[in-house]
Amino acid sequence: MPYHEALAKIIRQELARKLPPEVFEDQEVEKKMIGGLAFVVRGKMAITASGREGVEAMVRIGPERQEALLPRTGTRVTVMRGHSRKGYIDLDAEGVKELPFWIEQAVAFNEELTRN
């Protein structure tokens, strides 16, 4: 399934800015999965440049952040195979306008996941 390559490039650049250099260079992997290009950091999916219709990106932010951040413009709960995915948010074209913010949220949650 095709994904938005220009968006993937922006995600890659933002991750390079927000992650420590050694993490970005050694622990950031890109995989075609979940209907797009997933950016896996420290072994955990953080954000995906989506190929699903109407979805620009899927961001893994955790259940607590999901509740707090869903009211933001351009967001909705990720639904895959008919089931809501707790802890994930889909961004439409409006939501992607705040991509640096969303990547910051994904990186923060990724750090929480990998700390333990």
Side-chain angles (χ1 to χ4, degrees), residues 42 44-46 59-65 86-88 102-115:
R42 300 179 189 103
K44 309 285 185 191
M45 196 288 289
V59 187
R60 186 175 189 188
I61 58 172
E64 294 80 22
R65 283 184 180 88
K86 196 167 190 163
Y88 294 80
W102 291 109
I103 291 174
E104 190 173 293
Q105 298 302 308
V107 167
F109 183 65
N110 180 272
E111 287 173 355
E112 291 173 19
L113 282 175
T114 56
R115 218 178 286 146

Coordinates of all heavy atoms in Angstrom, one line a residue, residues 42 44-46 59-65 86-88 102-115:
R42 N 13.6 2.2 19.2 CA 13.9 1.4 20.3 C 13.1 0.1 20.3 O 12.6 -0.4 21.3 CB 13.8 2.1 21.6 CG 14.7 3.3 21.8 CD 14.4 4.0 23.1 NE 15.1 5.3 23.2 CZ 14.5 6.5 23.1 NH1 13.2 6.5 22.9 NH2 15.1 7.6 23.2
K44 N 10.0 -0.2 19.2 CA 8.5 0.1 19.4 C 8.1 1.0 18.3 O 8.7 2.0 18.0 CB 8.2 0.7 20.7 CG 8.8 0.0 21.9 CD 8.0 -1.3 22.2 CE 8.6 -1.9 23.5 NZ 8.0 -3.3 23.7
M45 N 6.9 0.7 17.7 CA 6.4 1.6 16.7 C 6.0 3.0 17.3 O 5.4 3.0 18.4 CB 5.1 1.0 16.0 CG 4.7 1.7 14.7 SD 4.0 3.3 14.8 CE 2.4 3.0 15.6
A46 N 6.5 4.1 16.7 CA 6.2 5.4 17.2 C 5.2 6.2 16.4 O 4.3 6.8 16.9 CB 7.5 6.2 17.4
V59 N -0.2 7.9 15.1 CA 0.8 8.2 16.1 C 0.5 7.4 17.4 O -0.6 7.3 17.8 CB 0.7 9.7 16.5 CG1 1.8 10.1 17.5 CG2 0.8 10.6 15.3
R60 N 1.5 6.7 17.9 CA 1.4 6.0 19.2 C 1.8 6.9 20.3 O 2.9 7.3 20.5 CB 2.3 4.8 19.1 CG 2.1 3.8 20.3 CD 2.9 2.6 20.2 NE 2.6 1.6 21.2 CZ 3.3 0.5 21.4 NH1 4.3 0.3 20.7 NH2 2.9 -0.3 22.4
I61 N 0.7 7.2 21.1 CA 1.0 8.2 22.2 C 0.6 7.6 23.6 O 0.8 8.3 24.6 CB 0.2 9.5 21.9 CG1 -1.3 9.2 21.8 CG2 0.8 10.2 20.7 CD1 -2.1 10.5 21.7
G62 N 0.0 6.5 23.6 CA -0.4 5.9 24.9 C -1.8 6.3 25.3 O -2.4 7.3 24.9
P63 N -2.5 5.4 26.1 CA -3.9 5.7 26.5 C -4.1 7.0 27.2 O -5.2 7.6 27.0 CB -4.2 4.5 27.3 CG -3.2 3.4 27.0 CD -2.0 4.2 26.6
E64 N -3.2 7.4 28.1 CA -3.5 8.6 28.9 C -3.4 9.8 28.0 O -4.3 10.7 28.1 CB -2.5 8.7 30.0 CG -2.6 7.7 31.1 CD -2.0 6.3 30.7 OE1 -1.1 6.3 29.8 OE2 -2.4 5.3 31.3
R65 N -2.4 9.9 27.1 CA -2.3 11.0 26.2 C -3.5 11.0 25.2 O -3.9 12.1 24.8 CB -1.0 11.0 25.5 CG 0.2 11.4 26.3 CD 1.5 11.4 25.4 NE 2.6 11.8 26.2 CZ 3.4 11.0 26.9 NH1 3.1 9.7 26.9 NH2 4.4 11.5 27.6
K86 N -6.5 1.5 21.3 CA -6.3 2.3 22.5 C -4.8 2.7 22.5 O -3.9 1.9 22.3 CB -6.6 1.5 23.8 CG -6.7 2.4 25.0 CD -7.3 1.7 26.1 CE -7.6 2.7 27.2 NZ -8.5 2.3 28.2
G87 N -4.6 4.0 22.6 CA -3.2 4.6 22.7 C -2.7 5.1 21.4 O -1.6 5.5 21.3
Y88 N -3.5 5.0 20.3 CA -3.1 5.4 19.0 C -4.1 6.5 18.5 O -5.3 6.4 18.7 CB -3.1 4.3 18.0 CG -2.1 3.2 18.3 CD1 -2.3 2.2 19.2 CD2 -0.9 3.2 17.6 CE1 -1.4 1.2 19.5 CE2 0.0 2.2 17.8 CZ -0.2 1.2 18.8 OH 0.7 0.2 19.0
W102 N 3.1 16.3 17.5 CA 2.7 14.8 17.6 C 3.9 13.9 17.6 O 3.9 12.9 18.4 CB 1.8 14.5 16.4 CG 0.5 15.1 16.5 CD1 0.0 16.2 15.8 CD2 -0.5 14.9 17.5 NE1 -1.2 16.5 16.2 CE2 -1.6 15.8 17.3 CE3 -0.6 14.0 18.6 CZ2 -2.7 15.8 18.1 CZ3 -1.7 14.0 19.4 CH2 -2.8 14.8 19.1
I103 N 5.0 14.3 16.9 CA 6.2 13.5 17.0 C 6.8 13.6 18.4 O 7.3 12.6 19.0 CB 7.2 13.9 15.9 CG1 6.6 13.4 14.6 CG2 8.6 13.3 16.2 CD1 7.4 13.8 13.4
E104 N 6.7 14.8 19.0 CA 7.2 15.0 20.4 C 6.4 14.1 21.3 O 7.0 13.4 22.2 CB 7.0 16.4 20.7 CG 7.7 16.8 22.0 CD 7.6 18.3 22.2 OE1 8.2 19.1 21.4 OE2 6.8 18.8 23.1
Q105 N 5.1 14.0 21.2 CA 4.3 13.1 22.0 C 4.7 11.6 21.8 O 4.8 10.9 22.8 CB 2.8 13.3 21.7 CG 2.3 14.7 21.9 CD 2.5 15.1 23.4 OE1 2.1 14.4 24.3 NE2 3.1 16.3 23.5
A106 N 4.9 11.2 20.5 CA 5.2 9.8 20.2 C 6.6 9.5 20.8 O 6.8 8.4 21.4 CB 5.3 9.6 18.7
V107 N 7.6 10.4 20.8 CA 8.9 10.1 21.3 C 8.8 10.0 22.8 O 9.4 9.2 23.4 CB 9.9 11.2 20.9 CG1 11.2 11.2 21.7 CG2 10.2 11.1 19.4
A108 N 8.0 10.9 23.5 CA 7.9 10.9 24.9 C 7.3 9.5 25.4 O 7.8 8.9 26.3 CB 7.0 12.0 25.4
F109 N 6.2 9.1 24.7 CA 5.6 7.8 25.0 C 6.6 6.6 24.8 O 6.7 5.7 25.6 CB 4.3 7.6 24.3 CG 3.6 6.3 24.7 CD1 3.2 6.1 26.0 CD2 3.5 5.3 23.8 CE1 2.6 4.9 26.4 CE2 2.9 4.1 24.2 CZ 2.4 3.9 25.5
N110 N 7.4 6.7 23.7 CA 8.3 5.7 23.4 C 9.4 5.6 24.5 O 9.8 4.5 24.9 CB 9.0 6.0 22.0 CG 10.0 5.0 21.6 OD1 11.2 5.1 22.0 ND2 9.6 4.0 20.9
E111 N 9.8 6.7 25.0 CA 10.8 6.7 26.1 C 10.2 6.0 27.3 O 10.9 5.3 28.0 CB 11.2 8.1 26.4 CG 12.1 8.7 25.4 CD 12.4 10.2 25.6 OE1 11.9 10.8 26.5 OE2 13.2 10.7 24.8
E112 N 8.9 6.3 27.6 CA 8.2 5.6 28.7 C 8.2 4.1 28.5 O 8.4 3.4 29.5 CB 6.8 6.2 28.9 CG 6.7 7.6 29.4 CD 5.3 8.1 29.3 OE1 4.3 7.3 29.3 OE2 5.1 9.4 29.3
L113 N 7.8 3.7 27.3 CA 7.7 2.3 27.0 C 9.1 1.6 27.2 O 9.1 0.4 27.6 CB 7.3 2.0 25.6 CG 5.8 2.2 25.3 CD1 5.5 2.1 23.8 CD2 4.9 1.2 26.1
T114 N 10.1 2.2 26.8 CA 11.4 1.5 26.7 C 12.3 1.7 28.0 O 13.3 1.1 28.1 CB 12.2 2.0 25.5 OG1 12.3 3.4 25.5 CG2 11.5 1.5 24.2
R115 N 11.8 2.5 28.9 CA 12.5 2.8 30.1 C 12.5 1.6 31.0 O 13.4 1.3 31.8 CB 11.9 4.0 30.9 CG 12.9 4.8 31.5 CD 12.3 6.0 32.2 NE 11.9 7.0 31.2 CZ 10.8 7.8 31.3 NH1 10.1 7.7 32.4 NH2 10.5 8.6 30.4

